[in-house]
Amino acid sequence: MGRVTQAEPIRRRSALRAGAGLTAALATGCAATERAATTATAPQAHRSTAAARAAPQPRRFPGQPAQIDHGPRTRDRVALTFHGQGDPAVARSVLKEAERAGAHVTVLAVGTWLDAHPDMARRILDGGHDLGNHTLHHIGVNDLSEADATAEITGCATRIRRLTGSVGTWFRPSRAQRATPLVTRLAERAGYPHVLSYDVDSLDFTSPGPAAVVDNVTSAVRPGSIVSLHFGYRDTIAALPPLLDHLARRGLSAVTCTELLS
């Protein structure tokens, strides 16, 4: 067995220190990697939280009646409103056509439609559109008893709140252009200061063909008009681009009802 020199303990201590340094470096590198990963995912978490933010609440517009048929006639704006029901693929196509033209619309959704297609609530809001209440089952709400009409209004409101954090910005009666005084009171009790009516009917639900839909609107629309349209009809998809072109040529911007009245 050879003789241990003085240099060997020194070499051993140096090796131990080097090993400890390597371990510390690895630990530091791992910690840095973890911090980098956390930092990289933080914006995604922030975006997810932002995407789930609550929808706007209903607003009272001073000077406007309890039941609104149209907005100010002095501004070059109109509101296209859609009854939210039917094939969601058609609804998405309608929204896409509106967004392609830079238009924002107002959707009055049926509660059972949201039950079947809950993703549509966020799709509407994420597109910059208004979302409102068109009763739970889309039956003649004006003909119902007070208790049944209340259930129709609040049933849809509950669904919109569950999906978006708000009851929606508007209420429109189902199967009627205007609400009765009773339904107007019940809507206000449910949190809607105004009932949303309209002054231009596209009649797209009769499937008259895209050209007729365009003519029905353009022959009657004026600054401040609120137009009634529907999601559930393919004529509406084809009618929307020429309709929006016509409005643009007349200097009329298509905006949400909130924007129309603000």
Side-chain angles (χ1 to χ4, degrees), residues 208-231:
V213 173
V214 174
D215 185 62
N216 289 339
V217 176
T218 58
S219 62
V221 73
R222 301 165 52 194
S225 282
I226 298 176
V227 183
S228 173
L229 294 139
H230 294 74
F231 268 171

Side-chain angles (χ1 to χ4, degrees), residues 128-144:
H129 312 291
D130 275 0
L131 176 64
N133 178 334
H134 198 38
T135 74
L136 180 57
H137 295 100
H138 199 255
I139 56 180
V141 67
N142 285 343
D143 301 323
L144 299 178

Side-chain angles (χ1 to χ4, degrees), residues 111-137:
T112 52
W113 183 70
L114 292 177
D115 284 342
H117 312 289
D119 60 306
M120 287 304 304
R122 186 51 59 183
R123 169 64 184 88
I124 291 162
L125 292 173
D126 286 349
H129 312 291
D130 275 0
L131 176 64
N133 178 334
H134 198 38
T135 74
L136 180 57
H137 295 100

Side-chain angles (χ1 to χ4, degrees), residues 62-79:
Q64 291 293 337
Q67 190 150 199
I68 297 174
D69 300 313
H70 61 81
R73 296 298 190 188
T74 56
R75 303 175 70 186
D76 292 331
R77 294 180 172 186
V78 298

